Amino acid sequence: MARPRVVQPLLLISAAIMAVSGTGGSLARFAYIRQEPEWPPEIAGSVHDASWPDFLEFMTRNNITWLARSGGHGYSPTLRTIQNAVMVNMENFRYASINSDLSVSIGSGATFQDMIDAVGGAGRELRATGASLGGGVGRLQGKYGITSDSIRRVRMALWNGTIVEASDDINQDLFWGVRGAGQNFGIVIETTFETYPASDGGMHYNVDMTFSGESLETVIDTINSLIPDMDPALAIITLFTIDADSLEAIVALGLVYAGSEVGGRRYAQLFAPFSRTFNESLIPWVDLPSQSAGGGVAANCQTGLRHNMYSLASRDLPTSTYREIYDSFSELIVAYPGLNRSIVLIETFGQEGVSALPNDYSAFPHRGEIHNLVVLEMVYTDDTVADVADDFAHGWRDVLAQPENSGYDRLVVYQNYGHDDEPLSALYGYDEWRHERLSSLKRSYDPKGHFNGYHAIPIDSADWS
């Protein structure tokens, strides 16, 4: 199929943006979306806050679709619904600044590293990632809750160009919805987060270990023993990964403790006797994203790779099932070496900070249901293995979703890790009151469905799956 290509709208959009752009202020840049691995060259034009109404009115009047792009991170296949569109590149909103109350205001073009450099430089830390609109899980959630729990204010452009703020004091309904379903309502321009005093002088205990496949059951059993009352400062990332030279499947485990070295080593020693390699260190909080878990998670964020990801939340990690997955994964890579950068990822984070807030605190629906996040991420460059990769990840996701494996009677999926085949209730919650509240917000803030590219909330609450 020939890629979509429309030349004239590009020229019209460029001219319109140039006409409404003033000088000064934060700028957004625009590019035309094509279905290609690399983003195309950007076209001329810019817009600042005062110009959003003109720009979005022009787009709406000419029935032109758009998509805002921040750091470029997002795997959801639902994005394929956006075709022949204009990309709003937010890179000129790239800033992170500490406020007088030690909160941090982050422009939507800022990278995660921009944020942690600013916060860490102020002797603070923050449970935050670019995934805050879907909730934001991570290593510090046991202490501070998920990312979106730390949001204190957002500034957004709505479909008609109106600039609004949302917080506990204004547009409280939108503020509720942005924290867990935020991709559905507008273009976020700026987010202000609460920050927290740095743990142990900003240093975190980190240990990276590898294990042979024979130790898999012991690794899983040890993790299971920690889950019921998991220390809020403890975070564990487990990977089934591949040695690139031998194509041997191995188990890699990254343990981070946001507390004293003595406290972290106490947990590391539970795994040490049967580890094949054991590398411990103290890492500044600002370096955790690039250095923890052996840098393996960060390495998969490089551009130019195909990613196909299925996931689910799981209360339990039954050892016999994960043995089957591990063996199946090993066999897959032997048969299809082009998939050797693929991983099976298990994120096990503390729950205390997440469960400290009531279930209706925000649109994030999974408090008490995210003990483990399991991700089957197929990574490749050769599309001839695409179908095989999809069959493996999809099939095992369905196996893991069975109640005897997940511990839940229904599929539970963290929205940022969603594919496109789950019922929406798996992402946004099964309670009817959630459906009604989210659909009401959609009708109020995006009545024409301009922000339907990322797990779209239906306008009518009767259309929930």
Side-chain angles (χ1 to χ4, degrees), residues 216-284:
L216 173 64
E217 283 81 359
T218 311
V219 172
I220 297 296
D221 285 340
T222 305
I223 295 172
N224 281 331
S225 73
L226 297 171
I227 290 174
D229 298 302
M230 190 162 175
D231 188 323
L234 179 63
I236 299 172
I237 293 178
T238 309
L239 294 164
F240 299 173
T241 187
I242 300 297
D243 182 285
D245 296 324
S246 67
L247 294 185
E248 173 194 10
I250 59 174
V251 180
L253 186 144
L255 183 152
V256 174
Y257 190 73
S260 69
E261 182 177 358
V262 172
R265 186 171 287 123
R266 182 175 71 250
Y267 293 110
Q269 290 304 315
L270 299 175
F271 298 92
F274 46 94
S275 65
R276 192 158 68 178
T277 62
F278 184 94
N279 299 303
E280 62 179 345
S281 60
L282 291 177
I283 297 180

Side-chain angles (χ1 to χ4, degrees), residues 27-317:
L27 304 179
R29 299 165 67 188
F30 300 85
Y32 188 63
I33 292 179
R34 299 191 186 118
Q35 293 297 95
E36 295 179 311
E38 301 297 329
W39 292 111
E42 286 148 351
I43 58 176
S46 58
V47 65
H48 51 79
D49 281 2
S51 300
W52 281 107
D54 301 280
F55 165 65
L56 292 177
E57 187 279 331
F58 174 86
M59 302 288 281
T60 302
R61 175 164 44 85
N62 287 278
N63 198 30
I64 299 169
T65 304
W66 64 82
L67 174 70
R69 177 183 186 266
S70 180
H73 180 92
Y75 291 162
S76 176
T78 62
L79 291 168
R80 72 162 70 98
T81 62
I82 300 176
Q83 300 284 338
N84 298 328
V86 167
M87 181 183 74
V88 185
N89 189 335
M90 305 297 290
E91 67 180 15
N92 286 325
F93 287 84
R94 184 175 179 175
Y95 60 86
S97 56
I98 298 293
N99 303 313
S100 59
D101 62 355
L102 295 180
S103 64
V104 60
S105 294
I106 301 172
S108 58
T111 66
F112 182 58
Q113 193 64 49
D114 295 330
M115 181 275 293
I116 62 176
D117 286 345
V119 175
R124 310 286 286 183
E125 62 188 19
L126 170 66
R127 166 57 245 126
T129 70
S132 60
L133 296 181
V137 302
R139 295 183 185 91
L140 291 179
Q141 69 179 43
K143 297 180 69 174
Y144 308 128
I146 56 175
T147 308
S148 54
D149 295 342
S150 297
I151 294 177
R152 295 296 168 257
R153 180 181 69 92
V154 296
R155 187 157 58 96
M156 303 177 65
L158 304 182
W159 68 274
N160 61 2
T162 302
I163 304 296
V164 299
E165 290 191 2
S167 69
D168 283 333
D169 300 317
I170 187 171
N171 294 316
Q172 294 93 337
D173 57 342
L174 179 60
F175 191 52
W176 180 89
V178 163
R179 295 171 295 169
Q183 302 93 338
N184 278 273
F185 308 117
I187 298 175
V188 174
I189 300 170
E190 180 183 272
T191 308
T192 298
F193 294 92
E194 181 178 354
T195 67
Y196 308 92
S199 305
D200 283 73
M203 304 301 289
H204 289 224
Y205 174 80
N206 177 81
V207 59
D208 296 320
M209 294 171 269
T210 59
F211 308 84
S212 66
E214 288 74 17
S215 298
L216 173 64
E217 283 81 359
T218 311
V219 172
I220 297 296
D221 285 340
T222 305
I223 295 172
N224 281 331
S225 73
L226 297 171
I227 290 174
D229 298 302
M230 190 162 175
D231 188 323
L234 179 63
I236 299 172
I237 293 178
T238 309
L239 294 164
F240 299 173
T241 187
I242 300 297
D243 182 285
D245 296 324
S246 67
L247 294 185
E248 173 194 10
I250 59 174
V251 180
L253 186 144
L255 183 152
V256 174
Y257 190 73
S260 69
E261 182 177 358
V262 172
R265 186 171 287 123
R266 182 175 71 250
Y267 293 110
Q269 290 304 315
L270 299 175
F271 298 92
F274 46 94
S275 65
R276 192 158 68 178
T277 62
F278 184 94
N279 299 303
E280 62 179 345
S281 60
L282 291 177
I283 297 180
W285 174 74
V286 296
D287 293 330
L288 278 175
S290 60
Q291 295 186 24
S292 62
V297 176
N300 254 12
C301 292
Q302 72 180 64
T303 59
L305 301 172
R306 303 284 201 274
H307 293 262
N308 186 6
M309 185 171 78
Y310 290 83
S311 75
L312 75 160
S314 183
R315 186 185 64 199
D316 305 321
L317 298 175

